[in-house]
Amino acid sequence: MAPVTHVTEHPLVQGGRSAALATACVRGGVAAGLGLGALAVLVIAAWISSPYPDSGAGGALHLAAGLWLLAHGVDLVRTDTLSGLPAPLGVVPMLLVALPVWLVHRAARDTLDTSDGGDRPRLSTGAAVAAVAGGYLLVAAATVAYSGSGPLPADLITAGLWLPAVVVGAAGTGAWTALGRPLPGQRQAAAALRAVGLGLVTLVGGGAVAAAVSLALHARQAQAAYTGLVGEWSGSVTVLLLVLALLPNMAVWGAAYGLGPGFTLGTGAMATPLGLAGDPAVPPFPLLAALPAEGRGTWLHWAVVAVPLAAAVLQGRRVGRSAGNWTARDTSLTALGAAWGCGAAVAVLAGAAGGPLGTGRLAAFGPVWWQAGAATVLWGACVGVPVSLGVRAWGRRALRPKRKQKQKPVSVPVVAGAESGAVSGATDAPAPSPALSSVPAALKGLLSGLVPAPGAVSPPAPGAPGAGQTQPHPSGTVPEPARAGSDPGSGPGIDPDPDGDRYGDPYGGGYTDPYDDSGFEPYDYLPAAWEPASPPPPVPPAPSAD
């Protein structure tokens, strides 16, 4: 029966896997259709509201297809130019990229998400990414073919390069999210990735702030450019949507400006913190009004350098805080790897934020990708690596145990002579014991009467021995006092033991309570280095009456 069961279950498993692959492929196609449809709705709404709908519904659909491909990094070619020569259009409105990337990301994430508890087989990560990307690229290929018959056909070279890269990358991030966003097992690689994210966010956010400040300083020029472009209310809405779509580009331009290389404003013109060199070819547009004026840069332009400086410091600080017990070499390599990773990300963003706007002088417009990436690596290597080493050294210094300082001995004055409280029967006060030399005078007077000095022993009463009397031993030693019948601490002037245990001196005598306190503990008053005095000599036996 086992072979029959194996043969009958195998086609079912294969059928379930094929169905799962088909479902993933359909998910990718649906994601592409949703993004394309959303742009088509916006373009058709603008075309309907326009007072001059010259191109018709077909032209609006071709424009929507071109914008959708442009959002994936595909260059378009304008054929309706004044010169009659085709002109490339390669500046990507980066806000449009968010919609298709999010749709592909969600499709791949839902394909690998099995939290619903269904019985469908789980695909591997590579199979899910390939299926979702394959379904998406099928729709993209049809869109590229459709755009070829419109006014904005797609460039086939960039379509074959950027379109699959963007789709596969977005699907990969979706699969990574479905798996719980795991990081590499090696601590150095995980720390470098976290530092890359922190540095990239700081760099782009600082560039956005710098660009916003410059745009606020040139608000009049921006308003004049906006007024010159718009006509009817539909034109105002269209220009406003285009400005919003290009805001991320403005942030990347500000980051590239602060990094040092700046950006090009046409062939032969470059804007850097040191100044604007060359003759810029700037078309009238509200965001371009924030460009610096011609001439040398001022302190306000130089202040933008604080953006990459802060990004490199935070990046190195993140690596240094992660380097607990790493060596200096591992810390430096991790910080350098974070610099290279951040440089690669900035190069991709700079390449998408810039590009050609036409032919001739407009063939180069925006940041140069390799210059921005190289500048990011230099900032990370020159600033981030030393900062990471410094933070590591400071953290190791804080964790290092502090050396204990030697305490100087405190001299206590010693009072010569003995105070009152001699053992009963002694005519003269005995000399103080060496163990009591470090005790204050008030306590030494008390303890001198409690601890018998060498050679001072109370003579026993004639007759029967007392309760605490000891008998001589043939060997010459003094045995412990007898415990049967009476309490060794009892007697005149000696309080009984309130706790039922013996706490007298080590030679058989009890301690008096000078404060009449039942909880009196004489050990609380003894010094830490107290040692008992030498035992007294054996007591000779009492003479008999005979």
Side-chain angles (χ1 to χ4, degrees):
M1 295 300 295
V4 175
T5 304
H6 178 73
V7 173
T8 54
E9 288 182 355
H10 185 70
L12 294 177
V13 174
Q14 292 295 330
R17 180 178 176 81
S18 301
L21 288 173
T23 303
C25 187
V26 170
R27 286 179 183 271
V30 170
L34 288 175
L36 184 58
L39 285 178
V41 168
L42 290 177
V43 173
I44 290 177
W47 170 72
I48 292 174
S49 61
S50 177
Y52 308 104
D54 298 332
S55 57
L61 291 177
H62 279 91
L63 179 60
L67 288 177
W68 186 76
L69 293 174
L70 186 64
H72 293 79
V74 179
D75 292 349
L76 303 179
V77 180
R78 292 189 296 113
T79 56
D80 54 347
T81 59
L82 297 177
S83 61
L85 299 176
L89 177 61
V91 178
V92 180
M94 298 184 69
L95 191 61
L96 294 180
V97 182
L99 179 62
V101 165
W102 178 74
L103 290 172
V104 180
H105 173 90
R106 191 187 67 172
R109 182 197 63 192
D110 295 343
T111 300
L112 290 175
D113 189 10
T114 58
S115 59
D116 54 354
D119 296 334
R120 55 188 175 88
R122 180 184 177 89
L123 295 176
S124 63
T125 304
V129 171
V132 172
Y136 196 97
L137 291 176
L138 288 176
V139 179
T143 307
V144 170
Y146 176 74
S147 67
S149 59
L152 292 174
D155 183 35
L156 297 181
I157 297 177
T158 56
L161 292 177
W162 286 106
L163 190 57
V166 172
V167 173
V168 173
T173 57
W176 178 61
T177 303
L179 296 177
R181 299 183 180 91
L183 292 176
Q186 191 176 6
R187 293 183 58 189
Q188 285 84 358
L193 288 177
R194 293 190 183 96
V196 166
L198 181 60
L200 188 63
V201 170
T202 306
L203 194 60
V204 176
V209 172
V213 171
S214 180
L215 186 62
L217 295 176
H218 300 83
R220 292 185 177 181
Q221 294 85 336
Q223 185 178 4
Y226 180 80
T227 305
L229 288 177
V230 302
E232 300 292 334
W233 68 272
S234 58
S236 302
V237 173
T238 302
V239 174
L240 181 60
L241 291 176
L242 186 57
V243 168
L244 293 177
L246 289 172
L247 285 179
N249 299 58
M250 187 179 179
V252 177
W253 283 39
Y257 185 80
L259 285 170
F263 44 81
T264 59
L265 298 174
T267 56
M270 180 70 68
T272 63
L274 299 178
L276 179 60
D279 186 14
V282 180
F285 195 72
L287 294 181
L288 295 178
L291 296 176
E294 298 184 10
R296 300 185 61 181
T298 61
W299 67 269
L300 189 60
H301 301 91
W302 301 336
V304 189
V305 182
V307 173
L309 179 62
V313 168
L314 291 178
Q315 186 172 301
R317 179 175 176 268
R318 185 59 182 267
V319 174
R321 293 184 64 181
S322 301
N325 54 354
W326 301 350
T327 62
R329 178 177 178 273
D330 292 340
T331 305
S332 302
L333 291 178
T334 304
L336 192 59
W340 277 97
C342 191
V346 169
V348 172
L349 293 177
L357 282 179
T359 57
R361 298 183 60 188
L362 293 178
F365 205 78
V368 182
W369 65 272
W370 66 269
Q371 293 180 359
T376 306
V377 174
L378 287 178
W379 277 100
C382 297
V383 178
V385 174
V387 168
S388 64
L389 292 175
V391 172
R392 168 187 170 273
W394 181 262
R396 292 170 67 92
R397 176 182 178 274
L399 295 176
R400 188 179 303 158
K402 297 181 179 180
R403 297 181 178 178
K404 296 183 179 180
Q405 298 180 355
K406 295 183 179 180
Q407 298 181 356
K408 298 182 178 179
V410 180
S411 59
V412 180
V414 179
V415 179
E419 271 72 5
S420 60
V423 182
S424 60
T427 56
D428 296 332
S433 174
L436 304 178
S437 60
S438 61
V439 184
L443 297 180
K444 189 170 63 176
L446 172 65
L447 296 179
S448 61
L450 301 178
V451 181
V457 180
S458 299
Q469 183 177 355
T470 59
Q471 300 295 332
H473 196 271
S475 60
T477 60
V478 180
E480 294 185 0
R483 302 189 181 213
S486 63
D487 187 4
S490 60
I494 300 178
D495 295 337
D497 187 2
D499 299 328
D501 55 351
R502 180 176 179 272
Y503 58 91
D505 65 17
Y507 306 111
Y511 288 145
T512 59
D513 182 5
Y515 304 106
D516 195 16
D517 185 7
S518 60
F520 172 72
E521 291 289 341
Y523 294 103
D524 295 339
Y525 298 92
L526 296 179
W530 181 83
E531 295 181 0
S534 59
V539 180
S544 60
D546 299 331

